[in-house]
Amino acid sequence: LLLALLAFALWRRHRRYVANRYRREALAELDRLEARHGAADARAVAELVKRVALHAWPRAATASLSGAAWLQFLKQRDFFGDSAARFLDDLEYHGDADLAEGDARQFAKEARRWIERFHVSA
């Protein structure tokens, strides 16, 4: 019985590891973005967040979202507070040059936190 429980636990751990591959790859890409730009490239981080959401939730529920609907989707999934929402809104309607580097770093930090910790409801 103990051996069966151990085998089951190892199987579940392996299954979770395989299922979270996209998460590990996203975090590695975020590391590369931060290393390449000194600060995170805000547009690339926003695109990465969208790709993570596309992988984690049904494509039909996430692919067409933009603007206020996209912000609402992220807010319902505990992505950010009001400052990140404002940052994403500014990013969508203004160029990267208009955004402060500190804001981009904070956004990347919040994206990292979200990618590491969000859970998809079954």
Side-chain angles (χ1 to χ4, degrees), residues 91-122:
L91 183 61
E92 187 170 3
Y93 295 106
H94 304 290
D96 287 336
D98 298 338
L99 303 170
E101 184 176 314
D103 291 340
R105 285 178 197 248
Q106 181 62 30
F107 178 64
K109 183 178 174 183
E110 290 185 35
R112 178 178 301 282
R113 180 193 59 81
W114 182 71
I115 292 168
E116 289 173 344
R117 296 184 180 144
F118 77 84
H119 297 286
V120 177
S121 300

Side-chain angles (χ1 to χ4, degrees), residues 1-74:
L1 181 63
L2 189 58
L3 189 57
L5 287 173
L6 178 62
F8 179 72
L10 288 173
W11 173 77
R12 282 190 51 140
R13 184 176 177 144
H14 175 71
R15 200 172 112 197
R16 188 177 13 219
Y17 179 82
V18 169
N20 282 311
R21 177 180 173 194
Y22 74 96
R23 195 183 302 253
R24 289 187 308 278
E25 289 174 354
L27 291 170
E29 185 172 341
L30 189 55
D31 289 339
R32 285 189 299 274
L33 287 170
E34 289 175 326
R36 187 175 345 142
H37 297 285
D41 175 356
R43 286 204 187 281
V45 172
E47 290 170 7
L48 179 63
V49 167
K50 183 73 169 212
R51 287 197 321 266
V52 168
L54 285 168
H55 188 84
W57 285 277
R59 186 172 278 287
T62 56
S64 64
L65 296 177
S66 64
W70 175 236
L71 294 177
Q72 184 63 30
F73 176 89
L74 291 173

